[in-house]
Every structure is written in C-alpha cells, then in structure tokens.
Amino acid sequence: MNDTLLLVLFVSFSVLEIGILVCVLVFYRRLRRSEHLFNSLQANQENLLARIEMNARLEKEIVATFAQRQAELRNLDEKLEERAQSLRRLLEQAEGISRSPQFLREVILNGRRKGLSSQQIARNAGLSVDEVDLILAQQPKS
C-alpha cells in the first residue's frame, strides 16, 4: 500500500509538473506575443512622432515663407502705388499740356498742313468746329 501511494503521488506530481510546464509554455508564448505587439506599437509611436516632427518643421517653413511672401507683396504694393502716383502726375501734366492754347494751335495747324478738314481737326483736338475755324482764321496764310 505504501508503494501504490508513492506511485500515485509520483504520478500526481508528474502530471502536476507537466501541467505547470504547459502553463509556463503558454505564458511564455503569450509573453512573446505581447512583447512583439509592444515593440510594434513602440515602432509605430516613433514613426508617428517622426511624422509629427516633420509636419511641424514643414508648418514652420510654410509660415516663414508666407511671412516672406507677405513682406514681398507689401513691398510690391508700395512700388505699385508709387508708380500709379507718378503716372497720375504725368497724366495730369499731359492733360495740362494738351489743353494749353499753344499746343492746341500746333495740333490744328499740323492738321491743316496734313490736309484735314476743320471737322476732322476738331474731332482730333476735342474742340468745336467754330474754335478750329477761329484759330485757322487768325493764322497768316502761307
């Protein structure tokens, strides 16, 4: 009886050891799977951080470029405004010259030399036909 009890105890402990060994192997496999998943998540996190850093750098470059473009646009706007003022002044001077009596007289006389009629000269000079005829009548015949 003592031998059977020992044999039963031996078999029981052997089965228990095998059970514990199977549990350790299952635990080890799960631990390896968890470790692989953890490494994968860590790699993904590093990739995400690298992309976030790259996006932050690109955003800074875009903002810097935008600020530079805004400054260039302001500069171009100032130059354009200066040019517009200069052209306005020139236009005013040209209008003043074109309305001067001496200039109108020269336009009318040149038109007459080219053989234009009083109506054509008046239309070109922006005057009435009577004004053109008056100026032509004041000039000595050559």
Side-chain angles (χ1 to χ4, degrees), residues 2-142:
N2 217 359
D3 284 339
T4 44
L5 183 61
L6 283 174
L7 186 62
V8 169
L9 282 174
F10 180 72
V11 170
S12 297
F13 283 127
S14 295
V15 169
L16 185 63
E17 285 177 358
I18 290 174
I20 291 173
L21 184 61
V22 168
C23 287
V24 167
L25 288 175
V26 168
F27 178 75
Y28 180 74
R29 270 186 92 196
R30 288 184 71 190
L31 180 65
R32 292 290 287 166
R33 214 176 313 139
S34 295
E35 184 181 7
H36 178 69
L37 181 62
F38 177 75
N39 289 337
S40 174
L41 288 173
Q42 190 174 17
N44 287 341
Q45 181 184 17
E46 289 173 2
N47 287 339
L48 179 64
L49 289 175
R51 279 188 275 159
I52 288 173
E53 182 181 330
M54 184 178 70
N55 286 344
R57 261 188 281 117
L58 287 174
E59 184 179 351
K60 285 180 184 177
E61 289 176 11
I62 288 171
V63 168
T65 302
F66 181 75
Q68 181 183 3
R69 297 288 183 245
Q70 288 293 81
E72 289 175 3
L73 285 174
R74 279 191 295 275
N75 187 22
L76 287 174
D77 186 48
E78 290 171 5
K79 287 181 180 179
L80 185 63
E81 192 60 37
E82 290 172 4
R83 181 72 52 99
Q85 288 175 356
S86 172
L87 288 174
R88 278 189 211 105
R89 274 187 257 116
L90 287 174
L91 186 60
E92 288 171 3
Q93 287 176 355
E95 286 175 354
I97 291 172
S98 70
R99 290 290 157 206
S100 74
Q102 184 61 34
F103 180 77
L104 289 173
R105 187 175 296 115
E106 289 299 320
V107 167
I108 292 169
L109 294 176
N110 284 336
R112 179 55 75 186
R113 284 187 211 116
K114 291 179 183 175
L116 298 176
S117 68
S118 295
Q119 291 175 342
Q120 292 172 326
I121 295 171
R123 193 175 335 113
N124 291 344
L127 299 171
S128 69
V129 176
D130 292 336
E131 290 173 318
V132 171
D133 288 339
L134 179 66
I135 292 173
L136 287 175
Q138 292 174 355
Q139 295 302 316
K141 304 260 183 198
S142 45

